[in-house]
Amino acid sequence: MSNRRTVAVVGATGRLGEHVVRVLAERGHEVVAISRSAGVDIVTGEGLDQALTGVDVVIDTSGTPSADETVATEFFTAAAANLHAAGARAGVELIVSVSILGIDASTGGYYRAKVAHEKALTAGPVPVRILRAAQFHEFVEPLVSWGRQGDTVRVPLMRTQLVAAAAVAEALVDLAEGPAPEPGTTAAPFPEIAGPREENLAKAAELVYAARGEDVTVVEVSEEGTPDRELLENGAFVAGPATTLAGPTLEEWLAQA
Ligand SMILES: NC(=O)c1ccc[n+]([C@@H]2O[C@H](COP(=O)([O-])OP(=O)(O)OC[C@H]3O[C@@H](n4cnc5c(N)ncnc54)[C@H](OP(=O)(O)O)[C@@H]3O)[C@@H](O)[C@H]2O)c1
């Protein structure tokens, strides 16, 4: 590693953040781990100035478990504003953050909150790079668990292009190691990353439960009233021609785990 940086990872204990911490350490960077469990809250700002002292780059992998649009929007906009304000005070050169592939046309819920997150991040003043990622292999079970009742899970028909959080982490660290853009110049289309092939969420859920030895029946449903049903079903969340594809496939990932 020729260019050792001090990198703060926000959400360091999360599905994605723990991989970012590992990749940074493997590449020889100094890591500052940020999460509420480490005593730093990016929504209230508590502990943030102290945590960012001496930090060159921030990789923001924070998230809220709430899928409610208002709750999630408040989380992400407050977090982005605090990261920019504290980052500017600390002389941070670049904030790298992660969004979700295919969310432009979403009509509500968590995906709209992520659009608001992108907007708040690109408002500056610290230069920003945003990577849009497909759903993680690690997220299949949490994503479908809302529809679980006993040993049956109802899963909306969804075309997705699942990607390993480890692959997304490598791409975020690549961005963190690259040059910062001019402040205020970051705009859509953002770079994208997805897994090597399109998957069907219900089939993916079956594979995950089978790999765990759990006897769960997965029922795929296509119902009126499912938020963003058309987008889920018409392939808005799968890779486009400009998306970077990165392995492993879900099966390979399950076999490794
Ligand atoms: N999951 C997916 O499939 C997927 C796909 C594409 C993009 N993304 C995006 O990737 C990001 C990370 O997702 P994930 O699934 O890895 O999330 P996650 O596992 O829920 O992790 C969230 C992290 O944020 C931290 N956090 C939460 N509230 C905080 C606060 N107020 N202050 C400081 N840290 C806080 C959590 O730690 P504490 O609880 O200790 O604070 C945790 O480390 C999200 O922005 C998400 O939208 C996710």
Side-chain angles (χ1 to χ4, degrees):
M1 233 289 306
S2 54
N3 192 9
R4 186 172 195 267
R5 321 299 311 275
T6 298
V7 183
V9 181
V10 185
T13 55
R15 271 179 288 269
L16 177 59
E18 65 175 17
H19 286 286
V20 173
V21 168
R22 175 183 52 74
V23 172
L24 285 166
E26 284 169 3
R27 297 195 197 179
H29 297 290
E30 184 169 332
V31 177
V32 176
I34 291 182
S35 64
R36 286 169 302 176
S37 43
V40 185
D41 190 321
I42 55 163
V43 173
T44 64
E46 185 190 344
L48 193 53
D49 281 317
Q50 201 181 350
L52 294 187
T53 303
V55 164
D56 302 306
V57 179
V58 171
I59 301 183
D60 171 25
T61 67
S62 63
T64 170
S66 176
D68 179 87
E69 182 177 351
T70 305
V71 173
T73 300
E74 283 171 2
F75 174 91
F76 284 120
T77 52
N82 283 333
L83 279 181
H84 271 297
R89 284 192 291 272
V92 166
E93 295 161 20
L94 172 66
I95 296 171
V96 176
S97 191
V98 59
S99 188
I100 303 174
L101 184 152
I103 57 176
D104 289 307
S106 64
T107 54
Y110 188 82
Y111 295 139
R112 273 329 286 171
K114 289 299 288 186
V115 173
H117 188 205
E118 292 175 345
K119 223 169 154 188
L121 283 166
T122 54
V126 180
V128 165
R129 290 207 186 276
I130 296 171
L131 177 70
R132 280 184 168 184
Q135 287 68 39
F136 309 155
H137 296 326
E138 289 85 347
F139 195 53
V140 171
E141 195 177 357
L143 183 60
V144 302
S145 64
W146 64 267
R148 182 166 181 168
Q149 280 194 314
D151 290 337
T152 302
V153 183
R154 290 167 65 80
V155 177
L157 174 54
M158 178 178 185
R159 294 171 59 191
T160 175
Q161 194 143 347
L162 299 166
V163 65
V168 180
E170 296 276 357
L172 288 174
V173 175
D174 288 346
L175 289 175
E177 288 176 334
E182 287 298 313
T185 60
T186 302
F190 304 113
E192 297 177 350
I193 186 167
R197 64 170 192 225
E198 184 179 329
E199 313 262 357
N200 167 283
L201 184 62
K203 289 209 170 64
E206 279 173 359
L207 286 173
V208 169
Y209 287 122
R212 302 245 164 90
E214 273 198 70
D215 192 11
V216 175
T217 304
V218 177
V219 181
E220 186 174 73
V221 293
S222 174
E223 291 173 329
E224 290 285 335
T226 301
D228 288 329
R229 175 183 173 196
E230 215 177 295
L231 300 180
L232 298 178
E233 297 186 4
N234 75 9
F237 298 106
V238 301
T243 309
T244 298
L245 305 186
T249 63
L250 178 65
E251 277 108 327
E252 288 164 350
W253 178 80
L254 286 168
Q256 288 163 12

